[in-house]
Amino acid sequence: MEIAMKSHIGCVRQLNEDFYACTVDLNGRVLAIVADGMGGHQAGDVASKMAVERIVSELHGLGADTTAEDEREHLMRALIRANEEVYAYAESHPECNGMGTTVVATLISPDYGVTAHIGDSRLYHFHTGDLTQRTEDHSLVQELLRSGQITPQEAHLHPQRNVLMRALGTEPDALIDLGEFSWVEGDILLLCSDGLSNKVPEPIMVDLLGKPVPLQETVDALVQHALNAGGEDNITCIAVRNTGKPIEVSGEEG
């Protein structure tokens, strides 16, 4: 596998409330996480960092003889424990009242992966020139789309497209969506915050992901496209390519 990542504060924000991690365990599995915090200074950045670090800690030392079902369960429990920690912290720190974060996380093996997410950070799967969104946003706009009240074109420009219906840490209990996918050599997985997905149309993603260049160049180009489109939000993404070879990792802070 080849791994690349980048986070950028964007062109407008004074603080990067996104946080991410990508780790490789002794069994060759990759754990990738992107979290987009909300709540402003001393809140959103705290929530996203706390959630990611808790999830990484909970999954450290996961055994080699696990099934996909086991891994989904472990991933869900990790997010639930992160939710409990973030919520408890906000309850005991009034300055952080109402803080929370989106989370998209995947645990990837050589031929399959499992996912858990809450909020509107996304996981895309690029396969033979096609891009599939493997997560569904927990947002007001997604609910309006599902009910047929707006069109996909209207959704992209909707003034309330950043309103979340679910987030981690805002309630004592969190409802986590789980998923599973298979992938093969040549496929790419892309995890990102909405600072990327709101600014980079899927045809542009497909074009950039399909270029035969080092994956870090692809990630840099995706982030740059979001910046060129205004970059009003923080922008974070992790990309993982199935190369059928030993893991290579690159990345940088923007």
Side-chain angles (χ1 to χ4, degrees):
M1 284 184 248
E2 180 186 3
I3 302 168
M5 43 202 150
K6 188 178 183 71
S7 186
H8 198 290
I9 195 171
C11 302
V12 175
R13 299 291 180 90
Q14 301 299 309
L15 179 72
N16 192 345
E17 295 181 273
D18 289 357
F19 201 79
Y20 69 97
C22 192
T23 65
V24 183
D25 69 17
L26 295 176
N27 303 300
R29 284 179 302 227
V30 172
L31 171 63
I33 313 166
V34 169
D36 178 358
M38 57 190 191
H41 185 59
Q42 292 301 316
D45 56 327
V46 173
S48 59
K49 185 174 187 289
M50 187 179 295
V52 169
E53 290 179 345
R54 171 52 60 186
I55 294 165
V56 170
S57 174
E58 289 290 332
L59 293 169
H60 178 73
L62 190 62
D65 56 347
T66 54
T67 65
E69 184 177 354
D70 294 332
E71 290 169 1
R72 279 200 312 272
E73 182 69 20
H74 282 292
L75 199 53
M76 180 180 70
R77 288 179 181 175
L79 266 71
I80 288 173
R81 286 171 182 159
N83 183 80
E84 293 168 350
E85 182 173 336
V86 172
Y87 182 78
Y89 187 91
E91 286 286 286
S92 60
H93 293 76
E95 72 276 13
C96 294
N97 182 49
M99 78 175 184
T101 184
T102 72
V103 174
V104 58
T106 181
L107 194 58
I108 313 163
S109 295
D111 57 351
Y112 73 92
V114 297
T115 67
H117 85 284
I118 183 168
D120 62 356
S121 293
R122 295 179 178 179
L123 173 66
Y124 292 96
H125 181 186
F126 182 73
H127 170 73
T128 62
D130 292 324
L131 190 68
T132 302
Q133 186 179 329
R134 293 287 183 186
T135 55
E136 184 174 277
D137 296 349
H138 301 138
S139 65
L140 174 61
V141 162
Q142 184 60 41
E143 292 296 323
L144 295 173
L145 269 172
R146 187 184 295 110
S147 63
Q149 296 181 58
I150 60 173
T151 67
Q153 293 75 22
E154 291 170 332
H156 184 67
L157 299 173
H158 198 281
Q160 293 178 296
R161 61 185 179 277
N162 294 323
V163 176
L164 296 180
M165 305 301 289
R166 286 193 237 166
L168 188 142
T170 58
E171 301 288 343
D173 301 306
L175 180 58
I176 310 297
D177 282 3
L178 303 177
E180 182 179 346
F181 59 87
S182 59
W183 71 325
V184 297
E185 188 173 336
D187 288 5
I188 300 174
L189 303 175
L190 177 69
L191 295 83
C192 65
S193 60
D194 68 340
L196 187 87
S197 57
N198 281 343
K199 290 296 182 180
V200 185
E202 289 193 9
I204 300 295
M205 289 188 188
V206 169
D207 179 61
L208 293 174
L209 291 168
K211 292 184 182 299
V213 299
L215 198 55
Q216 189 62 49
E217 288 188 24
T218 301
V219 164
D220 291 345
L222 286 164
V223 172
Q224 190 59 52
H225 190 94
L227 291 169
N228 293 345
E232 292 90 355
D233 204 351
N234 308 142
I235 306 157
T236 301
C237 63
I238 300 173
V240 184
R241 174 153 49 204
N242 189 331
T243 63
K245 297 177 182 178
I247 293 170
E248 304 171 23
V249 180
S250 61
E252 61 182 78
E253 288 291 338

